[in-house]
Every structure is written in C-alpha cells, then in structure tokens.
Amino acid sequence: MGDGMLITDDFLPVPVPESLDATYLVPIKGLPKVSPKTAVAALAGRLAEPVHGLAKQMLDSPLMTVDTRPIGEFPELPPDLLTAFGATEAQLARLAAATHLVVVQAEYRPGWPPAHEWAARAVAAAVAETVGSDVVDVFGLQFLDPAAALRSLPDAQGRIRLVDWVLVPYSSDADGLWFTTKGLRRFGLLELQAQGVPDHLTRAWGAVMTGAARRLLRDWTDGLAGEEVPAFVQLPVLATVTGHDIAVAYGNPEQHGATAPVLLRLELDPATDPDADSFLSLRPPPGHAGPAGRYFAAACATLFAGIQPDVRYARPGDAMSKAIATARAGLGDIRARFLAGQLPAETQLVVKYGLPGDEGPEFVWAGVTSWETPERIVGVSASDAATDPTVRIGAPVVVEATDLVDWALLDGTGVIEGGWTQAVLDAGDHPTVD
C-alpha cells in the first residue's frame, strides 16, 4: 500500500484519526468572576508538571477555547444517562439550577501525552473549583467533582489510573453479557468489546477488559511515537493480559501478584451503520473449543487469586478447620447481605464447596447467582473439577450448604472479604494430598 502498511497474520492494522478533541462543561449560575488563566495559575504546586505548564500553554494557543454560554444554547444533557454513570442528586440539582455553561474544548494530535484531554480537564477543574461547581466530561457523560478531576491527572512521575479515563459498561443479551469500553477513543483507539460473558463475571471481567485496554493502549501509543502521525498502527492479533496490567490500570502496581498471563484474540468489527462505532472485539485465541464464555471464565480464574480448585485434607483442630468454622459461622450474615443487595458495589460473591474424590475431597469455587433458602445455593462454576466431569467453568451448579467450606467477596483486585481457607493454603499451614 502507498503508506507502507504491512499486513500480516500476527498484526491488525487499526486506522489513526487525524486529530482528537476533548470537551468539558462547568455548569454555573451567572457569569464566572475569575478568568480561566487566573484559575489555572492558582493550581501551581498542586498540579504536577508537565500538566500544569501544558494547560497554561494551551490556554494561550488556538488549540484550546474557553467560552461561557447560556445553558439554553445547548441540548439538554440526559439525566438518566448521567445518573447511570454515577451522577448524584446534588450534581443534577446544580446542573438544573445553572444559567450558563463554561465550555472548555481542546484539540491535539493522536499520541502520548494526550494533551487535549489533560489540559482541558485541568482547566475545567480549575474553573469549577473557583465557582463551587462540577465538571461534566462530555465524552463519558460523567460528572466529576473538581478534586476528583485533578486527582485523575498525571502525578509527578506521569502516571495515571486508566479507570479514571476508561469506563467498562455492560448489558445483557441472549448469549450473556456484552461488555464495551468507553474512553479509548479519547486516545484515538477504537473501543473494545466482548460478548457472551457469563453473568457471574461482571466485576472480574470488567477488570480484565480494563487490563486489556491498558495493554493495547500502550501498544497504540508506542505506534504513535514518531514525529509523523501514521495512517495505521499495527496492534498484535494475540493480546497478552496479566495481573500486572490490571493492577496498573487500577493504580495499584505493587499489588499485581505473580499470575499467569492470558491470551485474547483481537478482531476488527467495523460498523455497518455510518453513525455507529466500530469496535475491536476480544475473543478466545485460536484453537479454543467451546463457547467463548467458558474461556472468559477460565481467564478470570487465572488472573484472580482465590478461585482456584484444590485438593486438601483438613485435620480436626488445625488451621484449616478453624478457617472452615469461621466461614460457616458467617454464612447467615453474608446470605442476608446478598439477598438485601448490601454487598459492596460490583463485587462478586463466590463459595467454596467439596466434591468427593478417591484421594480425598476436591474443593472448587462457584459464583453465587441465587440463595433463596439457607440450605441450597445456586451458582455457576468458577473452575473445572478434576473429580467430576460435569463441573466445568461456566456450568450451572447447585451447592448444598452442608458441603460449603468457605466464601469470599471478589472485586477487580482479588479477595476483599472472606477466603479464610485460601489464606491458610497461601500460608502453607495445611497437609496436602501427594
């Protein structure tokens, strides 16, 4: 091709837009009493370089505009979508009472740093702080309080949390859950999607999607590092995602652990409707047999600690017996919280139960989907059992409470509550089956 693009089976050419833009709004009553330059200057010492200097430079350039306009000149921001993306009643009330909007817009070339996003968000946050208002991220349809907006900007080492810039919404369809990212287009990259994700993996798969976004965004910006903006960037067809990718995306690089990587195949799904978005689809790698959901469940089991099967004997009076007793003592409370919807947002409740085996019981984990009676738990297996061929990742299971030995709450970083038997196993204080 004329631009020298090389197409191979190992890489996927992804088109690069000519330029990128960012828009942020600040709802206010009346007119602002402080200029944007004065507001940004007040952030000296609070906003790390180079972002502070970048914001000041772009304010003085044609790459950024800051206008104050009557709110009636703009289409109404949809309150239902704003609420879906976390808007509070107080934020919606301030928007409803506003007479004007401060509109901050910036444009820049694709690449790193994303100067248009960093500078526009910094300026909007500075203005919002001076007038006691909020920042509205138009791309994400998301409210940010000024402090949160400033925290999302790079620190002195240039690091950001990708979760502050990329959301992972999902919805249900006939084949399971449909996940997409919302935020990669800020950086010029197509959004990711995955379909057929098992229902019990909402939190875990959202974290995997975020980790995949982090890995692909790094490859994307590496491909844009030259002086000239290329027409295409070659992304690897097989993307490797690790626990480290997930931890860095959530801003916890020291908590990544030593997990094995998983492979995801990248496919370009161009939109057939000119008004719709194209996606980069995440699928199982070549050679995977069975539904995609089974592979996605296996990927989550690989990347997150606490849901691996194990075969163990528990002796009376040892640490394992105490762990099991602790878990069982908390069953009533965790069931009540599960039924009342009082578990932390977007966490996953899993239970560990025993399967009989010739060499002793095998303990496997299952994600809880229903717990109508105390004696019986309905769920979906989170691992393949060695002793029972019917217990496979993603398969429905019914767990008798008398067989249960542990429970845990998982989020994108692993176990946040429970998991007493796993703690004993990790500490090595247990007899094992040879």
Side-chain angles (χ1 to χ4, degrees):
M1 297 181 64
D3 59 3
M5 181 182 67
L6 176 65
I7 300 178
T8 73
D9 292 337
D10 298 326
F11 292 92
L12 182 69
V14 179
V16 180
E18 293 183 2
S19 64
L20 301 172
D21 59 79
T23 302
Y24 290 85
L25 307 177
V26 180
I28 59 173
K29 284 184 178 181
L31 298 175
K33 297 179 174 59
V34 176
S35 72
K37 289 184 180 181
T38 301
V40 170
L43 295 178
R46 297 173 52 203
L47 193 59
E49 297 296 346
V51 179
H52 190 227
L54 184 65
K56 293 191 294 184
Q57 291 172 15
M58 291 195 73
L59 269 173
D60 288 329
S61 79
L63 295 174
M64 177 180 285
T65 60
V66 182
D67 297 318
T68 301
R69 305 177 194 171
I71 196 168
E73 293 184 5
F74 290 84
E76 181 184 7
L77 292 169
D80 54 341
L81 289 178
L82 290 168
T83 301
F85 288 113
T88 66
E89 291 185 6
Q91 289 169 331
L92 292 172
R94 284 192 289 271
L95 175 63
T99 60
H100 291 75
L101 291 174
V102 178
V103 184
V104 182
Q105 295 180 300
E107 183 180 0
Y108 203 64
R109 55 161 277 178
W112 202 264
H116 60 298
E117 283 286 352
W118 288 358
R121 185 174 285 197
V123 171
V127 172
E129 190 173 67
T130 63
V131 298
S133 186
D134 311 289
V135 176
V136 180
D137 172 13
V138 173
F139 181 92
L141 279 178
Q142 189 175 27
F143 270 98
L144 301 170
D145 67 71
L150 293 173
R151 284 196 303 269
S152 71
L153 294 166
D155 62 14
Q157 286 73 47
R159 299 172 300 190
I160 62 169
R161 297 191 331 151
L162 193 60
V163 292
D164 292 330
W165 298 88
V166 177
L167 305 174
V168 186
Y170 63 89
S171 59
S172 297
D173 60 25
D175 298 320
L177 297 177
W178 174 38
F179 279 77
T180 62
T181 59
K182 186 174 180 61
L184 288 177
R185 282 196 295 114
R186 300 179 190 273
F187 312 104
L189 182 59
L190 296 178
E191 303 291 358
L192 304 181
Q193 71 171 357
Q195 294 174 289
V197 179
D199 290 350
H200 69 287
L201 294 178
T202 53
R203 178 65 173 173
W205 188 253
V208 174
M209 290 278 288
T210 306
R214 183 258 175 184
R215 173 58 64 99
L216 291 171
L217 183 58
R218 189 178 66 176
D219 294 336
W220 175 254
T221 53
D222 285 347
L224 297 172
E227 291 186 7
E228 298 294 328
V229 177
F232 294 86
V233 166
Q234 301 276 2
L235 293 180
V237 169
L238 286 179
T240 301
V241 182
T242 67
H244 179 69
D245 291 315
I246 296 171
V248 171
Y250 280 81
N252 300 307
E254 70 282 355
Q255 298 180 7
H256 63 85
T259 62
V262 299
L263 289 177
L264 294 169
R265 178 165 51 94
L266 203 63
E267 286 187 2
L268 177 61
D269 279 336
T272 55
D273 183 341
D275 294 327
D277 293 327
S278 298
F279 284 96
L280 293 172
S281 292
L282 297 177
R283 307 189 192 280
H288 169 72
R294 177 173 292 183
Y295 184 82
F296 295 155
C300 291
T302 298
L303 289 169
F304 300 115
I307 55 174
Q308 298 297 326
D310 57 85
V311 182
R312 298 288 185 266
Y313 292 123
R315 298 175 300 192
D318 68 5
M320 184 61 76
S321 292
K322 293 178 182 178
I324 294 172
T326 301
R328 286 177 172 166
L331 283 180
D333 176 69
I334 193 62
R335 175 176 177 264
R337 291 160 59 196
F338 173 80
L339 294 175
Q342 294 177 347
L343 300 181
E346 297 184 357
T347 54
Q348 176 188 355
L349 176 61
V350 294
V351 294
K352 189 180 190 180
Y353 64 103
L355 295 171
D358 294 337
E359 297 181 337
E362 178 184 10
F363 298 106
V364 292
W365 291 90
V368 178
T369 58
S370 175
W371 200 346
E372 294 183 1
T373 65
E375 299 80 16
R376 182 170 297 180
I377 301 165
V378 178
V380 181
S381 181
S383 52
D384 288 341
T387 56
D388 187 340
T390 67
V391 178
R392 289 292 177 263
I393 291 175
V397 294
V398 177
V399 181
E400 300 296 332
T402 53
D403 296 330
L404 193 146
V405 296
D406 203 354
W407 58 266
L409 283 180
L410 306 178
D411 69 1
T413 62
V415 177
I416 62 170
E417 185 179 346
W420 294 274
T421 63
Q422 189 64 39
V424 173
L425 296 176
D426 292 342
D429 186 11
H430 58 274
T432 61
V433 175
D434 297 324

